[in-house]
Amino acid sequence: MSTTELSGLYDVIHRRRDTRREFTGAPIAPDALRRVLTAAHAAPSVGLSQPWDFVLVRDETTRRAFRDHVHAERSLFTAQLDAERAELFGRIKVEGILESSLGIVVTYDPDRGSPAVLGRHAIADAGLYSVCLAIQNLWLAATAEGLGVGWVSFYREDVLRRLLHIPARIRPVAWLCVGPVAGLPDQPDLERAGWRNRIPVEDVMHHERYRERSSR
Ligand SMILES: Cc1cc2nc3c(=O)[nH]c(=O)nc-3n(C[C@H](O)[C@H](O)[C@H](O)COP(=O)(O)O)c2cc1C
């Protein structure tokens, strides 16, 4: 890989942001969407199971129903916070479901490639890890295409299953808000809001053995 290509890769990795506020609502070019989904589908997966599916949600009624559910879940979370954190959380946006151009729901099918998924016999979660890698590929490709992505996890899996007719054995892993953006901020939204800061890489590095540290 040339130095320019390498710096392009790291640039995309560091430019990627979870997006909520910056969506313009403009349509996504079909070719770009195809490239982004193809990048997601190129992810590594345990036993080459490729256990993901991508449900593209454009319908306004479906999106409104999901947004209402997310708002209800947000209220439940707020109720767990003390007054100061609740006030701070009140200023944080956790979704751009209606503002984005497209919802992409990424699901996990534990039966794909089964019964004997190579590499999953001891760690069942390896299937889920694979889906998360597909999401990260999607996120980075979208960033390179000038699109924003916002991961929404304020939902109950059964509610989303019912909404999208997802069978009970399949797990919805993420609702991704995707679309063109006005720009991407330099800092994570939660850091800007004063909710939590990124921690230096040195603080998560260990040498030779794991050393317990106070939680950050
Ligand atoms: C598994 C997962 C679930 C997330 N769920 C939400 C969510 O429900 N709402 C939200 O606003 N951001 C959500 N995020 C985004 C994180 O808040 C964000 O990645 C983090 O603050 C770091 O910011 P950055 O992605 O811009 O670097 C989620 C991210 C991950 C990986």
Side-chain angles (χ1 to χ4, degrees), residues 13-20 70 92-96 132 135-136 139 149-155 173-175 185-191 196 198:
I13 288 171
H14 292 294
R15 242 177 343 102
R16 183 211 54 80
R17 279 277 80 77
D18 187 84
T19 314
R20 307 138 208 200
V70 166
I92 293 174
K93 190 167 165 58
V94 298
E95 52 81 24
C132 294
I135 294 172
Q136 180 72 345
W139 211 334
V149 175
W151 185 324
V152 184
S153 57
F154 276 72
Y155 63 83
V173 179
W175 177 297
D186 291 339
Q187 249 186 325
D189 212 34
L190 295 189
E191 200 171 58
R196 191 169 159 75
R198 283 175 285 185

Side-chain angles (χ1 to χ4, degrees), residues 123-171:
I123 302 176
D125 285 346
L128 269 182
Y129 304 159
S130 308
V131 175
C132 294
L133 292 171
I135 294 172
Q136 180 72 345
N137 268 15
L138 183 157
W139 211 334
L140 293 174
T143 305
E145 296 278 357
L147 302 169
V149 175
W151 185 324
V152 184
S153 57
F154 276 72
Y155 63 83
R156 301 291 154 166
E157 292 183 13
D158 272 340
V159 173
L160 190 48
R161 277 195 191 95
R162 273 197 300 279
L163 195 60
L164 301 182
H165 300 213
I166 297 170
R169 62 182 182 80
I170 307 278
R171 290 191 68 183

Side-chain angles (χ1 to χ4, degrees), residues 88-107:
L88 178 51
F89 181 59
R91 286 184 264 127
I92 293 174
K93 190 167 165 58
V94 298
E95 52 81 24
I97 298 160
L98 296 179
E99 299 91 331
S100 58
S101 318
L102 178 69
I104 302 182
V105 176
V106 187
T107 59

Side-chain angles (χ1 to χ4, degrees), residues 67-128:
R67 198 270 318 257
D68 292 349
H69 171 60
V70 166
H71 279 199
E73 287 299 323
R74 182 190 169 111
S75 301
L76 287 179
F77 179 65
T78 306
Q80 299 173 7
L81 304 172
D82 63 34
E84 195 183 323
R85 290 296 270 178
E87 197 275 322
L88 178 51
F89 181 59
R91 286 184 264 127
I92 293 174
K93 190 167 165 58
V94 298
E95 52 81 24
I97 298 160
L98 296 179
E99 299 91 331
S100 58
S101 318
L102 178 69
I104 302 182
V105 176
V106 187
T107 59
Y108 168 50
D109 181 353
D111 296 337
R112 188 143 327 139
S114 66
V117 177
L118 186 155
R120 208 185 64 186
H121 74 286
I123 302 176
D125 285 346
L128 269 182

